[in-house]
Amino acid sequence: MTTAISPRELAHPARDEIRLEGVLHALSDPMRLRVVRELAAAGAEVSCSSIELPVTKSTTTHHFRVLRESGVIRQTYRGTAKMNGIRRADLDALFPGLLDTVLSAAGQQAARLGTP
Amino acid sequence: MTTAISPRELAHPARDEIRLEGVLHALSDPMRLRVVRELAAAGAEVSCSSIELPVTKSTTTHHFRVLRESGVIRQTYRGTAKMNGIRRADLDALFPGLLDTVLSAAGQQAARLGTP
DNA sequence: CCACTCGTACGATAACCTTCGTAGTACGGC
DNA sequence: GCCGTACTACGAAGGTTATCGTACGAGTGG
């Protein structure tokens, strides 16, 4: 019950492998944008299941993988759960201000459209 | 030869119909991102044919239409040419800083990858 | 009027994306 | 050792996208 990090590793792109087009594509899906917003709001690491989406679990897995493979989030196994966190340092270094601008735009649009 | 604007009109989304997801999706294609970068660099209105892309003309038409329907650019007929301009006022009002951040990120990535 | 340029429309194709269901694996607790 | 939880893998269906080629319309200049 040490809750150690599993030896199982997940493939992540290195910082210099992250492409702007890939990040924009990852963020252009409503489900994924929602995930990123919740991760950003949570601040720290969050398990997959703590973010509720109106889709099945396999679809959720798919979206998390797209986010990971595009370099937006980092995923690590922690026992039976998988923790997710935004790669803020990498993204801010590569694309300064992009993440915050998108998040604030998403927040403003949600307020405008009345989506709490 | 007054070079008047043709009566032919093109459908554009109103400002409050523009969606962040649609804009991000439009910008997530390399061809379209390239078009937007050249339009932004040109500053003013630019004809479709003055932007050279490594695809056929029909594909170029397709990409311009995606950009127009997502609300990123405005297109107007001017005689035989079709002029294109970024909807900067609308985008800046809806998503402050987004366009500039994406453009600067695209510029930095192009420099990093050695794409002049 | 004729030719030329610019852009459109209409298939067609191949790839991709989102979504699902089912079956399976890894981990922790009893 | 056995069960439950958390997530994955593997198709598969249905829709969308990017690309092309060819044929067409709209405007300009001879």
Side-chain angles (χ1 to χ4, degrees):
Chain A
M1 58 42 127
T2 36
T3 321
I5 296 175
S6 296
R8 288 175 57 79
E9 283 294 330
L10 289 161
H12 288 80
R15 174 184 287 193
D16 61 324
E17 289 169 347
I18 299 177
R19 291 290 171 273
L20 175 61
E21 298 89 328
V23 172
L24 293 178
H25 174 245
L27 297 178
S28 71
D29 182 275
M31 294 296 161
R32 293 194 289 262
L33 185 55
R34 185 164 155 177
V35 168
V36 172
R37 290 186 65 204
E38 296 204 24
L39 286 182
E45 296 200 316
V46 168
S47 78
C48 285
S49 56
S50 62
I51 295 183
E52 294 202 5
L53 295 179
V55 292
T56 64
K57 271 206 286 190
S58 40
T59 305
T60 303
T61 297
H62 160 73
H63 286 308
F64 273 100
R65 178 164 51 187
V66 173
L67 286 171
R68 169 170 48 86
E69 292 180 345
S70 66
V72 176
I73 67 172
R74 185 171 298 278
Q75 297 189 292
T76 44
Y77 282 106
R78 183 89 50 100
T80 162
K82 189 151 88 172
M83 308 306 285
N84 306 274
I86 295 188
R87 294 179 67 173
R88 182 171 276 281
D90 291 321
L91 293 176
D92 283 350
L94 285 170
F95 315 120
L98 179 67
L99 185 61
D100 288 327
T101 310
V102 171
L103 287 173
S104 118
Q108 282 189 232
Q109 173 173 289
R112 181 164 58 91
L113 301 180
T115 316
Chain B
M1 61 39 128
T2 35
T3 320
I5 296 173
S6 296
R8 288 174 59 79
E9 283 294 331
L10 289 161
H12 288 80
R15 174 183 289 191
D16 61 322
E17 289 169 346
I18 298 176
R19 292 288 170 275
L20 175 61
E21 297 90 326
V23 171
L24 293 178
H25 174 246
L27 297 177
S28 71
D29 182 276
M31 293 297 161
R32 291 194 290 262
L33 186 55
R34 183 164 158 178
V35 167
V36 172
R37 290 223 294 148
E38 297 205 24
L39 285 183
E45 297 198 316
V46 167
S47 77
C48 287
S49 56
S50 62
I51 295 182
E52 294 202 6
L53 296 179
V55 292
T56 63
K57 272 201 293 185
S58 38
T59 304
T60 303
T61 297
H62 161 71
H63 286 308
F64 273 100
R65 179 165 50 186
V66 173
L67 286 171
R68 170 170 48 87
E69 292 180 346
S70 67
V72 176
I73 66 172
R74 186 172 295 279
Q75 297 189 292
T76 45
Y77 281 106
R78 185 87 49 99
T80 164
K82 189 150 87 171
M83 308 307 285
N84 306 274
I86 294 187
R87 294 179 66 172
R88 181 172 278 280
D90 290 320
L91 294 176
D92 283 350
L94 286 171
F95 316 120
L98 180 66
L99 185 60
D100 287 327
T101 310
V102 170
L103 286 173
S104 119
Q108 281 188 232
Q109 174 173 288
R112 181 164 57 92
L113 301 179
T115 315

